[in-house]
Amino acid sequence: MRIFGTDGIRGTINNYPMTPEVCLRAGMALCFLLKKRLPHKPKILIGKDTRISGYVIESALTSGITSMGGDVYRVGPIPTPAVAFLVKSMRVDAGIVISASHNPFSDNGIKIFSNDGFKLTEELENDIEKLINDKDFPAIRPSARELGKAYRIEDAQGRYIEFIKSTLPKDSNLEGLKVAIDPANGAAYKITPTLFHELGAEVITINDKPDGVNINKECGALYPESLIKIVKETQAHFGVAHDGDADRTILVDEKGNIV
């Protein structure tokens, strides 16, 4: 049965293929294939959105990667584009996003980036899938001395915010502007409000209290009605809404029109 779809591996949690067992073997397979291509111990970064199942998948991937001798850098809840950026910025060998994007909380997924910040090639995805399905893999495992380690990167969100600000003209200033933000109780619930606040805007945020199950729930980019309402009520100059992993953005003007 095919595991990888058009956007990585995705499905309902604890149902094939989104089971801890498959995630464990996906981590093992990715690390194994990287070791064959690299002269050094593989370094793999993992980010996620705010789904409660992210803990399950992150732990399974970490176990798989470290058991095969790779190091893991966990950055916690962070937008998908931030993982693509951090893979290049931190010079790691691959990045994994744990998210099902705009889907309900009961779904989750794995999207893998290569060291250039782009999605894996179909060839490498096929190689990973073959190993996941190979009952004899892995025939040989690393010794205890060769196991990998897992690290928590505490400043990942700050690094991404600084990168975004660096793309703007140096004298950029949003003072005097009121911005309404709906991060869909998802991956950007801290980053986007902080970004606009640091740029000088007055920030009004809704749906920024993720509890593991309220991601995308009648909010965010797929349900902009709440944002439109708050823009009008507060007379904000514009509004910003994301989906769960913040790779999709809807903008609303001061009249509540979707741009």
Side-chain angles (χ1 to χ4, degrees):
M1 182 176 177
R2 180 74 178 161
I3 295 175
F4 279 91
T6 56
D7 209 20
I9 305 171
R10 185 178 292 185
T12 302
I13 193 66
N14 276 342
N15 288 267
Y16 188 86
M18 284 314 302
T19 64
E21 295 85 351
V22 170
C23 296
L24 175 77
R25 291 181 67 79
M28 296 173 77
L30 174 61
C31 186
F32 176 80
L33 292 169
L34 287 175
K35 283 176 73 174
K36 291 173 65 175
R37 293 165 166 78
L38 298 171
H40 57 263
K41 176 184 286 192
K43 296 184 291 185
I44 301 170
L45 184 144
I46 300 178
K48 60 183 181 179
D49 63 22
T50 56
R51 292 164 213 267
I52 192 169
S53 57
Y55 295 103
V56 175
I57 300 170
E58 182 183 50
S59 298
L61 287 169
T62 299
S63 293
I65 294 164
T66 54
S67 74
M68 291 303 289
D71 287 342
V72 173
Y73 297 84
R74 295 186 290 193
V75 299
I78 203 161
T80 289
V83 172
F85 159 72
L86 289 166
V87 164
K88 294 176 67 178
S89 172
M90 294 179 59
R91 293 172 172 78
V92 297
D93 303 301
I96 302 175
V97 177
I98 302 169
S99 176
S101 191
H102 56 277
N103 288 23
F105 84 96
S106 52
D107 289 350
N108 217 330
I110 297 171
K111 185 187 296 185
I112 307 174
F113 292 93
S114 60
N115 63 350
D116 60 3
F118 290 93
K119 282 177 60 178
L120 284 189
T121 63
E122 189 172 343
E123 178 186 8
L124 191 51
E125 284 187 349
N126 290 335
D127 289 343
I128 292 172
E129 188 163 303
K130 288 176 185 175
L131 291 177
I132 292 173
N133 291 322
D134 182 357
K135 67 181 189 315
D136 295 322
F137 170 76
I140 301 175
R141 299 172 187 261
S143 68
R145 192 178 295 276
E146 297 171 317
L147 295 176
K149 297 180 180 179
Y151 303 89
R152 174 69 64 184
I153 307 301
E154 301 291 351
D155 64 342
Q157 294 191 0
R159 294 186 191 207
Y160 186 51
I161 288 171
E162 288 306 310
F163 163 69
I164 296 172
K165 290 194 293 187
S166 76
T167 68
L168 302 172
K170 289 185 178 180
D171 58 351
S172 293
N173 192 323
L174 301 184
E175 285 186 16
L177 289 180
K178 185 185 294 185
V179 184
I181 299 169
D182 181 354
N185 294 308
Y189 78 100
K190 286 185 180 178
I191 284 183
T192 302
T194 301
L195 170 67
F196 279 102
H197 175 75
E198 291 186 1
L199 289 171
E202 179 184 347
V203 178
I204 301 158
T205 310
I206 58 174
N207 301 313
D208 62 338
K209 295 176 176 58
D211 60 10
V213 301
N214 60 1
I215 184 171
N216 295 318
K217 187 176 181 181
E218 298 178 3
C219 60
L222 267 67
Y223 301 92
E225 294 81 11
S226 296
L227 179 66
I228 291 170
K229 181 181 178 184
I230 205 74
V231 165
K232 290 180 176 178
E233 287 180 352
T234 63
Q235 296 183 312
H237 293 91
F238 64 96
V240 180
H242 299 301
D243 65 343
D245 68 331
D247 67 351
R248 176 185 316 215
T249 299
I250 294 291
L251 300 177
V252 173
D253 68 16
E254 75 281 4
K255 295 180 180 178
N257 299 312
I258 294 176
V259 179

Tab-separated table of all heavy atoms in Angstrom, residues 174-228:
chain	number	residue	atom	x	y	z
A	174	LEU	N	5.613	49.828	11.540
A	174	LEU	CA	4.154	49.714	11.455
A	174	LEU	C	3.458	50.486	12.567
A	174	LEU	O	2.278	50.251	12.837
A	174	LEU	CB	3.743	48.242	11.509
A	174	LEU	CG	4.301	47.334	10.409
A	174	LEU	CD1	3.718	45.931	10.541
A	174	LEU	CD2	4.022	47.896	9.029
A	175	GLU	N	4.168	51.408	13.197
A	175	GLU	CA	3.558	52.204	14.262
A	175	GLU	C	2.353	52.971	13.712
A	175	GLU	O	2.396	53.527	12.617
A	175	GLU	CB	4.579	53.179	14.847
A	175	GLU	CG	5.592	52.499	15.757
A	175	GLU	CD	6.502	53.495	16.445
A	175	GLU	OE1	6.159	54.695	16.466
A	175	GLU	OE2	7.563	53.064	16.951
A	176	GLY	N	1.278	52.967	14.509
A	176	GLY	CA	0.058	53.636	14.087
A	176	GLY	C	-0.914	52.724	13.378
A	176	GLY	O	-2.058	53.105	13.117
A	177	LEU	N	-0.475	51.478	13.069
A	177	LEU	CA	-1.363	50.522	12.421
A	177	LEU	C	-1.907	49.523	13.441
A	177	LEU	O	-1.192	49.095	14.353
A	177	LEU	CB	-0.618	49.761	11.322
A	177	LEU	CG	-0.258	50.546	10.055
A	177	LEU	CD1	0.477	49.645	9.078
A	177	LEU	CD2	-1.489	51.140	9.397
A	178	LYS	N	-3.161	49.185	13.271
A	178	LYS	CA	-3.793	48.175	14.120
A	178	LYS	C	-4.017	46.922	13.267
A	178	LYS	O	-4.634	46.992	12.204
A	178	LYS	CB	-5.128	48.696	14.658
A	178	LYS	CG	-5.807	47.759	15.648
A	178	LYS	CD	-7.185	48.274	16.050
A	178	LYS	CE	-7.095	49.570	16.845
A	178	LYS	NZ	-8.452	49.980	17.337
A	179	VAL	N	-3.508	45.797	13.746
A	179	VAL	CA	-3.544	44.555	12.971
A	179	VAL	C	-4.298	43.484	13.751
A	179	VAL	O	-4.008	43.240	14.927
A	179	VAL	CB	-2.122	44.038	12.658
A	179	VAL	CG1	-2.191	42.797	11.772
A	179	VAL	CG2	-1.288	45.117	11.995
A	180	ALA	N	-5.256	42.841	13.108
A	180	ALA	CA	-5.962	41.709	13.708
A	180	ALA	C	-5.381	40.415	13.146
A	180	ALA	O	-5.150	40.305	11.935
A	180	ALA	CB	-7.455	41.791	13.402
A	181	ILE	N	-5.141	39.443	14.029
A	181	ILE	CA	-4.472	38.204	13.623
A	181	ILE	C	-5.260	36.997	14.127
A	181	ILE	O	-5.650	36.935	15.289
A	181	ILE	CB	-3.029	38.150	14.179
A	181	ILE	CG1	-2.206	39.325	13.625
A	181	ILE	CG2	-2.362	36.820	13.841
A	181	ILE	CD1	-0.876	39.512	14.313
A	182	ASP	N	-5.473	36.030	13.223
A	182	ASP	CA	-6.108	34.761	13.580
A	182	ASP	C	-5.190	33.621	13.148
A	182	ASP	O	-5.189	33.218	11.989
A	182	ASP	CB	-7.465	34.631	12.897
A	182	ASP	CG	-8.179	33.331	13.258
A	182	ASP	OD1	-7.575	32.480	13.946
A	182	ASP	OD2	-9.348	33.152	12.836
A	183	PRO	N	-4.379	33.077	14.071
A	183	PRO	CA	-3.452	31.996	13.718
A	183	PRO	C	-4.068	30.597	13.782
A	183	PRO	O	-3.332	29.607	13.733
A	183	PRO	CB	-2.338	32.153	14.757
A	183	PRO	CG	-3.026	32.724	15.950
A	183	PRO	CD	-4.152	33.568	15.440
A	184	ALA	N	-5.381	30.504	13.920
A	184	ALA	CA	-6.096	29.223	13.859
A	184	ALA	C	-5.703	28.261	14.971
A	184	ALA	O	-5.777	27.045	14.800
A	184	ALA	CB	-5.888	28.556	12.484
A	185	ASN	N	-5.282	28.806	16.116
A	185	ASN	CA	-4.807	27.962	17.219
A	185	ASN	C	-3.722	26.992	16.737
A	185	ASN	O	-3.633	25.851	17.195
A	185	ASN	CB	-5.968	27.174	17.838
A	185	ASN	CG	-6.972	28.078	18.530
A	185	ASN	OD1	-6.614	28.892	19.366
A	185	ASN	ND2	-8.236	27.945	18.159
A	186	GLY	N	-2.931	27.477	15.796
A	186	GLY	CA	-1.949	26.616	15.150
A	186	GLY	C	-0.515	27.048	15.355
A	186	GLY	O	-0.173	27.746	16.319
A	187	ALA	N	0.328	26.666	14.416
A	187	ALA	CA	1.772	26.772	14.569
A	187	ALA	C	2.284	28.201	14.707
A	187	ALA	O	3.351	28.430	15.280
A	187	ALA	CB	2.457	26.095	13.385
A	188	ALA	N	1.542	29.182	14.188
A	188	ALA	CA	2.016	30.569	14.217
A	188	ALA	C	1.394	31.375	15.350
A	188	ALA	O	1.435	32.599	15.331
A	188	ALA	CB	1.727	31.254	12.883
A	189	TYR	N	0.846	30.692	16.360
A	189	TYR	CA	0.085	31.412	17.389
A	189	TYR	C	0.950	32.377	18.187
A	189	TYR	O	0.442	33.347	18.753
A	189	TYR	CB	-0.638	30.438	18.311
A	189	TYR	CG	0.189	29.762	19.372
A	189	TYR	CD1	0.188	30.214	20.686
A	189	TYR	CD2	0.970	28.649	19.070
A	189	TYR	CE1	0.928	29.578	21.668
A	189	TYR	CE2	1.713	28.005	20.039
A	189	TYR	CZ	1.695	28.475	21.337
A	189	TYR	OH	2.435	27.847	22.295
A	190	LYS	N	2.251	32.154	18.240
A	190	LYS	CA	3.164	33.100	18.896
A	190	LYS	C	3.910	33.962	17.879
A	190	LYS	O	4.098	35.162	18.090
A	190	LYS	CB	4.187	32.342	19.749
A	190	LYS	CG	3.650	31.771	21.040
A	190	LYS	CD	4.784	31.149	21.854
A	190	LYS	CE	4.274	30.571	23.167
A	190	LYS	NZ	5.385	29.927	23.932
A	191	ILE	N	4.317	33.356	16.788
A	191	ILE	CA	5.234	34.030	15.860
A	191	ILE	C	4.613	35.250	15.195
A	191	ILE	O	5.212	36.331	15.180
A	191	ILE	CB	5.754	33.036	14.804
A	191	ILE	CG1	6.823	32.141	15.439
A	191	ILE	CG2	6.308	33.758	13.577
A	191	ILE	CD1	7.458	31.168	14.491
A	192	THR	N	3.425	35.115	14.612
A	192	THR	CA	2.860	36.239	13.864
A	192	THR	C	2.505	37.424	14.763
A	192	THR	O	2.859	38.573	14.442
A	192	THR	CB	1.651	35.781	13.036
A	192	THR	OG1	2.065	34.728	12.156
A	192	THR	CG2	1.097	36.926	12.207
A	193	PRO	N	1.847	37.216	15.911
A	193	PRO	CA	1.612	38.365	16.798
A	193	PRO	C	2.908	39.019	17.264
A	193	PRO	O	3.000	40.257	17.327
A	193	PRO	CB	0.842	37.752	17.975
A	193	PRO	CG	0.183	36.541	17.419
A	193	PRO	CD	1.156	35.999	16.411
A	194	THR	N	3.909	38.219	17.589
A	194	THR	CA	5.199	38.778	18.033
A	194	THR	C	5.857	39.573	16.924
A	194	THR	O	6.399	40.664	17.162
A	194	THR	CB	6.146	37.646	18.492
A	194	THR	OG1	5.535	36.918	19.561
A	194	THR	CG2	7.476	38.203	18.968
A	195	LEU	N	5.817	39.050	15.721
A	195	LEU	CA	6.416	39.738	14.571
A	195	LEU	C	5.810	41.124	14.390
A	195	LEU	O	6.541	42.129	14.299
A	195	LEU	CB	6.211	38.898	13.311
A	195	LEU	CG	6.567	39.573	11.987
A	195	LEU	CD1	8.055	39.827	11.884
A	195	LEU	CD2	6.074	38.730	10.811
A	196	PHE	N	4.480	41.203	14.354
A	196	PHE	CA	3.842	42.495	14.123
A	196	PHE	C	4.044	43.440	15.310
A	196	PHE	O	4.194	44.651	15.130
A	196	PHE	CB	2.350	42.301	13.828
A	196	PHE	CG	2.076	41.925	12.410
A	196	PHE	CD1	1.799	40.610	12.065
A	196	PHE	CD2	2.102	42.873	11.408
A	196	PHE	CE1	1.558	40.261	10.747
A	196	PHE	CE2	1.863	42.549	10.085
A	196	PHE	CZ	1.586	41.224	9.754
A	197	HIS	N	4.065	42.890	16.511
A	197	HIS	CA	4.329	43.720	17.689
A	197	HIS	C	5.733	44.319	17.615
A	197	HIS	O	5.929	45.519	17.882
A	197	HIS	CB	4.180	42.879	18.957
A	197	HIS	CG	4.540	43.618	20.216
A	197	HIS	ND1	3.714	44.579	20.772
A	197	HIS	CD2	5.647	43.558	21.012
A	197	HIS	CE1	4.293	45.074	21.860
A	197	HIS	NE2	5.463	44.463	22.022
A	198	GLU	N	6.712	43.508	17.230
A	198	GLU	CA	8.091	44.003	17.152
A	198	GLU	C	8.268	45.013	16.022
A	198	GLU	O	9.192	45.832	16.058
A	198	GLU	CB	9.058	42.835	16.978
A	198	GLU	CG	9.161	41.958	18.228
A	198	GLU	CD	10.233	40.890	18.118
A	198	GLU	OE1	10.925	40.829	17.076
A	198	GLU	OE2	10.382	40.112	19.085
A	199	LEU	N	7.379	44.963	15.032
A	199	LEU	CA	7.437	45.951	13.943
A	199	LEU	C	6.681	47.230	14.300
A	199	LEU	O	6.628	48.162	13.502
A	199	LEU	CB	6.870	45.344	12.655
A	199	LEU	CG	7.744	44.276	11.991
A	199	LEU	CD1	6.987	43.597	10.859
A	199	LEU	CD2	9.047	44.879	11.469
A	200	GLY	N	6.085	47.260	15.505
A	200	GLY	CA	5.489	48.503	15.983
A	200	GLY	C	3.983	48.595	15.891
A	200	GLY	O	3.394	49.604	16.294
A	201	ALA	N	3.332	47.553	15.385
A	201	ALA	CA	1.880	47.614	15.219
A	201	ALA	C	1.154	47.342	16.530
A	201	ALA	O	1.682	46.699	17.441
A	201	ALA	CB	1.436	46.599	14.168
A	202	GLU	N	-0.068	47.840	16.614
A	202	GLU	CA	-0.965	47.431	17.692
A	202	GLU	C	-1.606	46.115	17.255
A	202	GLU	O	-2.191	46.041	16.171
A	202	GLU	CB	-2.039	48.495	17.921
A	202	GLU	CG	-3.036	48.124	19.015
A	202	GLU	CD	-4.155	49.134	19.159
A	202	GLU	OE1	-4.046	50.248	18.586
A	202	GLU	OE2	-5.173	48.794	19.815
A	203	VAL	N	-1.495	45.097	18.084
A	203	VAL	CA	-1.901	43.755	17.672
A	203	VAL	C	-3.112	43.276	18.458
A	203	VAL	O	-3.153	43.365	19.682
A	203	VAL	CB	-0.734	42.758	17.865
A	203	VAL	CG1	-1.173	41.353	17.480
A	203	VAL	CG2	0.481	43.183	17.042
A	204	ILE	N	-4.115	42.781	17.724
A	204	ILE	CA	-5.289	42.150	18.321
A	204	ILE	C	-5.301	40.709	17.817
A	204	ILE	O	-5.344	40.470	16.608
A	204	ILE	CB	-6.584	42.852	17.901
A	204	ILE	CG1	-6.544	44.316	18.332
A	204	ILE	CG2	-7.795	42.152	18.475
A	204	ILE	CD1	-7.480	45.194	17.552
A	205	THR	N	-5.237	39.746	18.729
A	205	THR	CA	-5.140	38.345	18.319
A	205	THR	C	-6.326	37.541	18.825
A	205	THR	O	-6.738	37.673	19.980
A	205	THR	CB	-3.841	37.712	18.848
A	205	THR	OG1	-2.735	38.557	18.528
A	205	THR	CG2	-3.608	36.355	18.213
A	206	ILE	N	-6.877	36.713	17.948
A	206	ILE	CA	-7.931	35.767	18.327
A	206	ILE	C	-7.453	34.358	17.970
A	206	ILE	O	-6.542	34.176	17.161
A	206	ILE	CB	-9.263	36.072	17.610
A	206	ILE	CG1	-9.089	36.033	16.089
A	206	ILE	CG2	-9.803	37.422	18.035
A	206	ILE	CD1	-10.388	36.173	15.303
A	207	ASN	N	-8.056	33.362	18.599
A	207	ASN	CA	-7.730	31.960	18.317
A	207	ASN	C	-6.226	31.687	18.430
A	207	ASN	O	-5.604	31.124	17.525
A	207	ASN	CB	-8.261	31.566	16.926
A	207	ASN	CG	-9.760	31.753	16.807
A	207	ASN	OD1	-10.518	31.343	17.683
A	207	ASN	ND2	-10.205	32.407	15.740
A	208	ASP	N	-5.680	32.125	19.563
A	208	ASP	CA	-4.243	31.964	19.809
A	208	ASP	C	-3.977	31.174	21.089
A	208	ASP	O	-2.965	31.359	21.743
A	208	ASP	CB	-3.554	33.326	19.897
A	208	ASP	CG	-4.072	34.180	21.046
A	208	ASP	OD1	-5.201	33.920	21.509
A	208	ASP	OD2	-3.355	35.096	21.481
A	209	LYS	N	-4.920	30.291	21.441
A	209	LYS	CA	-4.768	29.489	22.661
A	209	LYS	C	-4.959	28.011	22.325
A	209	LYS	O	-5.974	27.397	22.666
A	209	LYS	CB	-5.754	29.950	23.736
A	209	LYS	CG	-5.478	31.371	24.207
A	209	LYS	CD	-6.519	31.846	25.198
A	209	LYS	CE	-6.159	33.236	25.738
A	209	LYS	NZ	-6.037	34.234	24.642
A	210	PRO	N	-3.993	27.426	21.652
A	210	PRO	CA	-4.125	26.022	21.254
A	210	PRO	C	-4.191	25.083	22.450
A	210	PRO	O	-3.476	25.267	23.432
A	210	PRO	CB	-2.856	25.772	20.428
A	210	PRO	CG	-1.876	26.805	20.899
A	210	PRO	CD	-2.692	28.005	21.237
A	211	ASP	N	-5.066	24.088	22.348
A	211	ASP	CA	-5.176	23.096	23.414
A	211	ASP	C	-4.977	21.677	22.887
A	211	ASP	O	-5.258	20.696	23.584
A	211	ASP	CB	-6.529	23.204	24.127
A	211	ASP	CG	-7.716	22.982	23.184
A	211	ASP	OD1	-7.505	22.553	22.023
A	211	ASP	OD2	-8.859	23.232	23.608
A	212	GLY	N	-4.503	21.578	21.653
A	212	GLY	CA	-4.247	20.275	21.057
A	212	GLY	C	-5.364	19.759	20.177
A	212	GLY	O	-5.142	18.900	19.311
A	213	VAL	N	-6.579	20.295	20.384
A	213	VAL	CA	-7.718	19.816	19.601
A	213	VAL	C	-8.487	20.934	18.889
A	213	VAL	O	-9.375	20.650	18.067
A	213	VAL	CB	-8.706	19.008	20.485
A	213	VAL	CG1	-8.018	17.816	21.126
A	213	VAL	CG2	-9.338	19.884	21.551
A	214	ASN	N	-8.158	22.188	19.174
A	214	ASN	CA	-8.922	23.290	18.571
A	214	ASN	C	-8.251	23.900	17.348
A	214	ASN	O	-8.708	24.913	16.827
A	214	ASN	CB	-9.223	24.382	19.603
A	214	ASN	CG	-7.964	25.006	20.199
A	214	ASN	OD1	-6.839	24.641	19.838
A	214	ASN	ND2	-8.143	25.942	21.132
A	215	ILE	N	-7.179	23.299	16.868
A	215	ILE	CA	-6.508	23.791	15.665
A	215	ILE	C	-7.470	23.729	14.467
A	215	ILE	O	-8.158	22.729	14.257
A	215	ILE	CB	-5.225	22.970	15.399
A	215	ILE	CG1	-4.441	23.533	14.204
A	215	ILE	CG2	-5.535	21.493	15.207
A	215	ILE	CD1	-3.068	22.895	14.032
A	216	ASN	N	-7.557	24.832	13.724
A	216	ASN	CA	-8.409	24.955	12.521
A	216	ASN	C	-9.907	24.868	12.808
A	216	ASN	O	-10.711	24.869	11.877
A	216	ASN	CB	-8.069	23.871	11.481
A	216	ASN	CG	-6.679	24.002	10.920
A	216	ASN	OD1	-6.210	25.092	10.624
A	216	ASN	ND2	-6.002	22.871	10.774
A	217	LYS	N	-10.308	24.787	14.063
A	217	LYS	CA	-11.720	24.581	14.375
A	217	LYS	C	-12.505	25.878	14.178
A	217	LYS	O	-12.496	26.760	15.027
A	217	LYS	CB	-11.891	24.070	15.806
A	217	LYS	CG	-13.327	23.679	16.137
A	217	LYS	CD	-13.432	23.086	17.528
A	217	LYS	CE	-14.870	22.675	17.838
A	217	LYS	NZ	-14.994	22.109	19.202
A	218	GLU	N	-13.162	25.993	13.042
A	218	GLU	CA	-13.979	27.159	12.691
A	218	GLU	C	-13.204	28.464	12.887
A	218	GLU	O	-13.741	29.450	13.407
A	218	GLU	CB	-15.276	27.157	13.511
A	218	GLU	CG	-16.149	25.947	13.238
A	218	GLU	CD	-17.403	25.909	14.082
A	218	GLU	OE1	-17.620	26.865	14.854
A	218	GLU	OE2	-18.161	24.935	13.980
A	219	CYS	N	-11.956	28.452	12.494
A	219	CYS	CA	-11.118	29.646	12.624
A	219	CYS	C	-9.996	29.593	11.587
A	219	CYS	O	-9.840	28.599	10.875
A	219	CYS	CB	-10.538	29.754	14.039
A	219	CYS	SG	-9.504	28.363	14.539
A	220	GLY	N	-9.234	30.667	11.515
A	220	GLY	CA	-8.087	30.690	10.621
A	220	GLY	C	-8.438	30.918	9.169
A	220	GLY	O	-9.532	31.379	8.827
A	221	ALA	N	-7.507	30.553	8.294
A	221	ALA	CA	-7.616	30.870	6.871
A	221	ALA	C	-8.816	30.222	6.202
A	221	ALA	O	-9.363	30.763	5.236
A	221	ALA	CB	-6.322	30.452	6.155
A	222	LEU	N	-9.250	29.058	6.701
A	222	LEU	CA	-10.394	28.392	6.081
A	222	LEU	C	-11.726	28.951	6.532
A	222	LEU	O	-12.750	28.757	5.877
A	222	LEU	CB	-10.342	26.891	6.372
A	222	LEU	CG	-9.636	26.036	5.318
A	222	LEU	CD1	-8.160	26.361	5.273
A	222	LEU	CD2	-9.857	24.565	5.587
A	223	TYR	N	-11.707	29.625	7.679
A	223	TYR	CA	-12.937	30.218	8.230
A	223	TYR	C	-12.652	31.678	8.611
A	223	TYR	O	-12.525	32.003	9.794
A	223	TYR	CB	-13.417	29.433	9.453
A	223	TYR	CG	-13.698	27.982	9.180
A	223	TYR	CD1	-12.712	27.021	9.370
A	223	TYR	CD2	-14.951	27.570	8.727
A	223	TYR	CE1	-12.964	25.682	9.123
A	223	TYR	CE2	-15.224	26.230	8.478
A	223	TYR	CZ	-14.220	25.285	8.676
A	223	TYR	OH	-14.473	23.963	8.428
A	224	PRO	N	-12.537	32.570	7.623
A	224	PRO	CA	-12.126	33.951	7.900
A	224	PRO	C	-13.222	34.832	8.501
A	224	PRO	O	-12.976	36.004	8.777
A	224	PRO	CB	-11.714	34.468	6.521
A	224	PRO	CG	-12.556	33.690	5.561
A	224	PRO	CD	-12.706	32.318	6.176
A	225	GLU	N	-14.400	34.265	8.738
A	225	GLU	CA	-15.516	35.077	9.233
A	225	GLU	C	-15.187	35.743	10.574
A	225	GLU	O	-15.535	36.905	10.815
A	225	GLU	CB	-16.783	34.218	9.375
A	225	GLU	CG	-17.344	33.696	8.056
A	225	GLU	CD	-16.613	32.466	7.549
A	225	GLU	OE1	-15.809	31.893	8.314
A	225	GLU	OE2	-16.839	32.092	6.389
A	226	SER	N	-14.513	34.999	11.457
A	226	SER	CA	-14.156	35.557	12.767
A	226	SER	C	-13.191	36.725	12.614
A	226	SER	O	-13.295	37.739	13.313
A	226	SER	CB	-13.532	34.476	13.649
A	226	SER	OG	-14.454	33.453	13.924
A	227	LEU	N	-12.234	36.572	11.707
A	227	LEU	CA	-11.267	37.645	11.480
A	227	LEU	C	-11.961	38.871	10.899
A	227	LEU	O	-11.693	40.007	11.322
A	227	LEU	CB	-10.166	37.163	10.540
A	227	LEU	CG	-9.089	38.205	10.210
A	227	LEU	CD1	-8.278	38.562	11.448
A	227	LEU	CD2	-8.172	37.702	9.097
A	228	ILE	N	-12.830	38.658	9.937
A	228	ILE	CA	-13.561	39.771	9.321
A	228	ILE	C	-14.348	40.536	10.387
A	228	ILE	O	-14.339	41.772	10.430
A	228	ILE	CB	-14.500	39.245	8.216
A	228	ILE	CG1	-13.677	38.728	7.030
A	228	ILE	CG2	-15.474	40.330	7.762
A	228	ILE	CD1	-14.484	37.973	5.995
